[in-house]
Amino acid sequence: LQQMELLDVFSYNSTISACEKGGQWQRALGLFVALQHNELLPNVISYNSTISACEKGGQWQRALGLFVALQHNELLPNVISYNSTISACEKGGQWQLALGLFVGMPQLNMLPNVISYNSTI
């Protein structure tokens, strides 16, 4: 991780995504935190990859917290942000939260896709 300090957001995003694909949610979250500690601003891709890693790791609270933080940092969630968070809530038995996120998508002119529907069902 010491060498990661010299990298840019793109490099962090790629590494977070690799951790997500490898089922290493803790490492993905650690890299997300390191990105910010190195005074880099996470973008929607940073959030989406970390949310997805938490979703795959059964960490629905963390995924939801990242989704909320994404919006508090004045970034706009996209369909991937929603789908990963909906799926995390669904896998965590939080169907009410998943449904609430799904219902809120059209209010932001976000069209649910097949993944959105499948995750909500």
Side-chain angles (χ1 to χ4, degrees), residues 3-118:
Q3 292 177 339
M4 295 291 289
E5 293 174 359
L6 303 175
L7 302 176
D8 60 9
V9 173
F10 177 79
S11 300
Y12 274 97
N13 289 349
S14 297
T15 309
I16 290 168
S17 181
C19 291
E20 175 257 324
K21 288 174 180 44
Q24 300 291 318
W25 71 266
Q26 298 99 328
R27 288 188 184 187
L29 196 56
L31 287 165
F32 182 83
V33 170
L35 183 154
Q36 295 171 77
H37 281 276
N38 288 313
E39 299 180 10
L40 296 171
L41 295 174
N43 58 25
V44 173
I45 296 168
S46 313
Y47 279 96
N48 287 350
S49 296
T50 310
I51 289 169
S52 184
C54 291
E55 175 256 324
K56 288 185 170 99
Q59 302 296 310
W60 71 267
Q61 292 109 330
R62 284 185 168 88
L64 186 60
L66 287 162
F67 182 82
V68 170
L70 182 154
Q71 295 172 72
H72 283 180
N73 287 317
E74 299 180 10
L75 295 171
L76 294 174
N78 59 25
V79 71
I80 296 167
S81 314
Y82 273 94
N83 289 347
S84 296
T85 308
I86 289 168
S87 181
C89 291
E90 178 271 324
K91 289 178 180 176
Q94 303 300 311
W95 66 268
Q96 299 95 334
L97 291 172
L99 185 59
L101 288 165
F102 178 80
V103 169
M105 290 177 77
Q107 295 170 355
L108 295 173
N109 295 323
M110 182 94 38
L111 294 176
N113 62 17
V114 172
I115 296 169
S116 311
Y117 283 100
N118 287 340

